[in-house]
């Protein structure tokens, strides 16, 4: 929809002109086509229906000033919003419905937690969710939209239940990710690196990036309706959160949990930083494979093992070794063999000579070596392999680093110095061949470690870093879940949590970046006493530099000292691990920290269960003495329609804004060009968009987007994103809109809703009692589903109530009462209609906030109800007075009978003047159908309404001649008179097929209900249900047999 600002008069003129032009064009087309004159009446009607095109409306402009309650320009003040029959409101348009509300909600403070005069939370308790902070690396995508829809549903639900609620928003600085994105941007736009700018200027550039994307992120979250308390918004580099980082680091260092060590790290040469194990993806290879590696024009070979010889010093013997990384032989400092391996016993204690550098390598024994694997002799590179590192320490080998930080060979590699590591790989092999030392290569299944951010191949590298001892912290985190203080859902996520913590390693905290929290650690330089960066004794920590200096003076009295701050920053997950309590003010003793901690739920993706969730639990327990939250809910990952993970390079990363507001295909393509994709990735992404969104993405609105994501969330596997499903839920929004519009149109201006406690009224019809029963049972079920985090079930419950019960049944049934009923019956029907609708709106509000506010505001309020917004309205709860299973059973019979009537008339193409008979086989059914005959007629469709007849007969009455039959259940059957209106032989064949199918069903059901094992396992309710199915099938068999007999009789008539 293109948007311009015009007056209502001009809009109406344009609409009429468009319709006039459309009719004129249709006449011309008809005149030009002679065949059109012979078109059948039905086809002509269909063609006209298909040709209807809604005139394009000018751009809708919200007249309400931001922050004020939505404009009430028509009707009495505080009574009506814009009428539902104007051009923008007669049909559901998401942009129109969703405009104006959010700024008012925010200004009124509806999203802030409310405390009593004593500063305490509500007597019903509190409910707090710390939002998993999105990274400021770029725009949000569907992977962010999903958790926000789920979290806001929980927050709004608990707010409506009367709890003090807080959904605390914020963003993460995302050290590696953000720095990487900005560096790529710099290179593509200016052909510069961060070193060209220098640290200070580069950090300023990243802050500029952060401000731009931070605002974009927040605007999308607001557009989705997220009820965040923006007055408490946090950012991981804020002053208080930075103070929390320093406090934690210093305290843990003082306790010896954080320590300094020169150990192997996962080094990314592309990003020039260390990574934790969790930031490394292992790519499985079955054999020889060529992979793209950043910085290389040609692909690099992996998945092979290269065999070569080392010469034994002082003899003509050789020893054969093998490696998957030939370039690392330049850092070899020993050869290990198994002590029981007879082949090498005579070489133990001797040395092998390196062919390319002046180095002797001892041959030694160790039980670690498997004599059956490879040659049984293992080259040892202690500075570049985790297993070799352990052996090197055990046997006091030399640790020789062969790499510069950028992945080139260093001064320890002789003639290979300066080569890139994988270029050196091929050069080493060539040199081995030249020396006659090369043996062979073989396919070798292996894992290649890749940086999850840059996709560079990880190098194990020796670096002095800050480490955190994790074993003790992990044990406490395991206990917190095992003893029930924290509940992790779903169950498989809990199992993964235990498994990871039980095998946890120490955490490398240091990152060689410029964007992030600089470690509050200082190296003490002592005049005249050279020091080593890896020596933990020469380091002090402090909450401020002054505090660190006082520590240093106390540690090194009477020394001439200078402090040099560590340039490294800390792993992003270190600051994120403090999120639940640092955002509430810790380490200060704030009111929020005292009243709202521990938080209630941490809702996040299972893919960061270890990165983030486990670390929050460990740090929360350690720093505050309490769990950081009571529950963890791990949602599924959103994948594209082909089941692939969302990736910018694939073009399947969808902006939620594009779904809410719609976008054409060309605009989607244009957005790709704004990013950092290289030409090859751009081509792939464009191709995907063309195939998946050939017509672009239609406008779905925030409510449809939210509801579809919630309905997707089963707690099971990943979610396959499908725009067609989301657009389908826009139609559901329209159903709600039109249903409310109908009810509002039926409420007279004098209508006053009665107190809720008066439902159902003494004059309530069966249909009213039925819908109120459905309402109260739906209320019970949806509250239970949300309590159990069964999001898909909750969405299904409210969908079924709205669509199948309220719209398709009760509203339809109420039409006849409102037209022909007595004044008392009409008043009762209106009161029930109001209750059923008002409660339906509040029930679905947590999932669809905008649409429900727009419609709820149009409803009159009950006596004494001054609730200003549906945000603050009470959530529906189960009410025993409305629970009426007897009325449900009776009305379900009417629905089943009317459904059978509609099915029969449709099956035999009878559209009017239908003659029907309903035969009842028990007294209760007879009483219900006799008393509710008018309801049966109103629900039975046009064939009955247009001159049709419905008769009621008992079990002993003669079945009507010339009729076909449909078995409703064991209590009722429906007969439709078809004499002279059908092909009898064809119908006999149909009936026989149905009879065969029913007989098969009876056979299966009988086998089940008579099976002794099944009866022992199934509870009484299930057994009763299955017996009922069998009885209904048996009744259907009887009716089909009777129907066939009747058809045969018809042939004789």
């Amino acid at each position: 929809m293109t948007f311009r600002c015009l007056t209502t008069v001009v809009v109406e003129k344009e609409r009429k002109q468009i319709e006039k032009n459309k009719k004129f064009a249709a006449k011309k087309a008809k005149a030009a086509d002679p065949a059109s004159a012979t078109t059948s009446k039905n086809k002509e009607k269909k063609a006209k229906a298909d040709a209807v095109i809604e005139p394009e409306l000018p751009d809708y402009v919200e007249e309400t000033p931001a922050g004020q309650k939505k404009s009430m320009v028509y009707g009495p003040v505080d009574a009506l919003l814009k009428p539902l029959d104007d051009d923008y409101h007669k049909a559901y348009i998401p942009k129109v419905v969703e405009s104006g509300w959010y700024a008012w909600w925010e200004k009124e403070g509806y999203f802030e937690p409310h405390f009593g005069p004593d500063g305490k939370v509500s007597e019903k308790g509190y409910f707090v969710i710390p939002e998993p902070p999105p990274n400021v690396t770029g725009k949000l995508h569907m992977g962010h939209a999903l958790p926000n829809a789920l979290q806001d549903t929980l927050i709004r639900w608990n707010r409506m239940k009367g709890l003090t609620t807080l959904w605390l928003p914020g963003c993460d600085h995302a050290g590696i990710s953000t720095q990487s994105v900005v560096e790529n941007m710099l290179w593509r736009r200016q052909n510069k690196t961060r070193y060209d700018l220098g640290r200070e200027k580069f950090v300023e550039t990243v802050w500029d990036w952060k401000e731009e994307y931070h605002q974009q992120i927040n605007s999308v979250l607001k557009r989705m309706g997220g009820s965040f308390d923006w007055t408490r918004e946090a950012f991981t580099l804020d002053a208080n959160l930075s103070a929390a980082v320093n406090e934690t680091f210093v305290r843990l260092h003082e306790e010896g949990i954080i320590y300094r060590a020169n150990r192997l790290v996962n080094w990314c040469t592309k990003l020039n930083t260390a990574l934790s194990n969790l930031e490394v993806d292992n790519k499985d290879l079955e054999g020889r494979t060529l992979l793209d590696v950043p910085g290389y024009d040609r692909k690099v070979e992996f998945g092979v093992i290269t065999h070569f010889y080392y010469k034994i010093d002082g003899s003509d013997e050789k020893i054969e070794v093998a490696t998957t990384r030939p370039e690392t032989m330049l850092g070899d400092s020993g050869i290990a063999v198994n002590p029981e391996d007879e082949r090498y016993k005579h070489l133990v204690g001797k040395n092998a000579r390196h062919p390319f550098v002046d180095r002797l390598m001892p041959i030694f024994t160790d039980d670690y070596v498997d004599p059956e694997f490879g040659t049984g002799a293992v080259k040892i590179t202690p500075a570049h392999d985790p297993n070799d590192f352990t052996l090197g320490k055990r046997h006091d080998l030399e640790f020789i680093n062969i790499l510069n930080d950028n992945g080139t060979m260093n001064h320890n590699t002789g003639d290979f110095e300066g080569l890139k590591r994988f270029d050196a790989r091929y050069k080493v092999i060539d040199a081995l061949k030249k020396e006659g030392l090369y043996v062979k290569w073989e396919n070798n299944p292996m894992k290649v470690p890749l940086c999850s951010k840059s996709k560079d191949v990880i190098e194990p590298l020796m670096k002095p870093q800050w480490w955190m001892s994790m074993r003790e912290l992990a044990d406490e985190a395991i206990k917190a879940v095992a003893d029930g203080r924290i509940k992790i859902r779903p169950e498989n996520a809990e199992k993964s949590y235990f498994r990871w913590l039980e095998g946890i390693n120490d955490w490398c905290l240091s990152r060689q970046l410029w964007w992030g929290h600089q470690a509050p650690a200082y190296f003490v330089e002592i005049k005249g006493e050279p020091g080593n960066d890896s020596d933990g004794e020469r380091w002090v920590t402090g909450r401020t530099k002054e505090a660190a200096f006082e520590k240093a003076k106390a540690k090194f009295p009477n020394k001439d000292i200078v402090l040099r701050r560590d340039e490294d920053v800390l792993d992003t997950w270190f600051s994120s691990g403090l999120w639940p309590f640092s955002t509430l003010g810790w380490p200060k003793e704030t009111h929020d920290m005292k009243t709202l901690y521990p938080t209630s739920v941490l809702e996040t993706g299972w893919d960061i269960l270890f990165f983030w969730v486990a670390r929050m639990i460990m740090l929360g327990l350690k720093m505050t003495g309490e769990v950081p939250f009571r529950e963890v809910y791990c949602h599924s990952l959103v994948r594209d329609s082909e089941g692939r993970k969302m990736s910018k390079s694939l073009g399947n990363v969808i902006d939620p804004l594009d779904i809410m507001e719609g976008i054409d295909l060309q605009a989607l393509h244009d957005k790709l060009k704004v990013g950092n994709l290289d030409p090859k990735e751009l081509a792939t992404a464009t191709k995907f968009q063309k195939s998946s969104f050939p017509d672009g993405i239609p406008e779905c609105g925030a409510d449809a987007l939210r509801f579809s994501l919630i309905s997707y969330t089963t707690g099971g596997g990943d979610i396959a994103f499908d725009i067609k499903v989301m657009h389908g839920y826009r139609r559901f929004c329209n159903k709600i809109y039109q249903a409310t519009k109908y009810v509002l149109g039926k409420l007279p201006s004098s209508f006053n809703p009665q107190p809720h406690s008066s439902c159902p009224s003494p004059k309530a019809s069966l249909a009213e009692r039925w819908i109120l029963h459905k309402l109260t049972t739906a209320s019970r079920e949806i509250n239970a589903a949300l309590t159990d985090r069964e999001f898909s079930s909750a969405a299904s419950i409210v969908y079924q109530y709205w669509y199948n019960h309220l719209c398709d049944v009760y509203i339809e049934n109420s039409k006849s009462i409102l037209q022909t009923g007595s004044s008392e019956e009409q008043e009762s029907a209106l009161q029930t209609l109001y209750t059923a609708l008002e409660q339906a709106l509040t029930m679905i509000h947590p999932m669809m906030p905008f649409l429900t506010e727009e419609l709820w505001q149009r409803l009159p309020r009950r006596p004494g109800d001054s609730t200003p917004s549906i945000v603050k309205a009470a959530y529906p709860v189960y009410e025993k007075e409305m629970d009426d299973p007897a009325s449900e059973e009776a009305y379900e019979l009417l629905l089943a009978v009317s459904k059978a009537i509609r099915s029969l008339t449709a099956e035999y193409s009878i559209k009017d003047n239908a003659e029907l008979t309903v035969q009842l086989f028990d007294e209760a059914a007879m009483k219900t159908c006799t008393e509710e005959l008018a309801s049966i007629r109103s629900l039975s469709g046009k064939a009955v309404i247009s001159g049709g007849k419905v008769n009621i007969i008992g079990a002993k009455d003669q079945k009507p001649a010339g009729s076909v039959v449909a078995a409703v259940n064991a209590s009722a059957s429906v007969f439709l008179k078809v004499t002279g209106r059908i092909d009898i032989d064809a119908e006999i064949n149909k009936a026989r097929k149905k009879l065969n199918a029913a007989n098969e069903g009876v056979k299966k059901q009988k086998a089940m209900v008579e099976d002794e094992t099944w009866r022992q396992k199934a509870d009484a309710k299930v057994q009763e249900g299955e017996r009922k199915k069998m009885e209904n099938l048996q009744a259907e068999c009887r009716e089909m047999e009777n129907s066939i007999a009747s058809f045969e009789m018809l042939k004789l008539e």
Side-chain angles (χ1 to χ4, degrees), residues 200-213:
E200 184 177 344
K201 182 64 178 174
F202 177 77
V203 170
E204 286 179 13
T205 303
V206 184
W207 271 106
D208 291 340
W209 173 282
K210 176 264 177 190
E211 291 302 323
E212 177 185 350
Y213 281 93

Side-chain angles (χ1 to χ4, degrees), residues 37-77:
T38 61
T39 305
S40 71
K41 187 177 179 181
N42 287 341
K43 286 184 178 178
E44 191 174 309
K45 283 183 179 178
K46 185 177 185 303
K48 283 183 180 179
D50 290 344
V52 172
I53 299 172
E54 284 292 327
E56 185 174 315
L57 290 170
D59 201 359
Y60 177 77
V61 177
E62 180 56 58
E63 298 171 1
T64 309
Q68 292 188 19
K69 192 171 184 179
K70 205 162 184 180
S71 179
M72 300 195 175
V73 296
Y74 296 96
V77 175

Side-chain angles (χ1 to χ4, degrees), residues 941-955:
K942 289 183 179 179
V944 173
I945 295 171
S946 303
K949 298 178 182 178
V950 180
N951 299 311
I952 303 290
I953 63 174

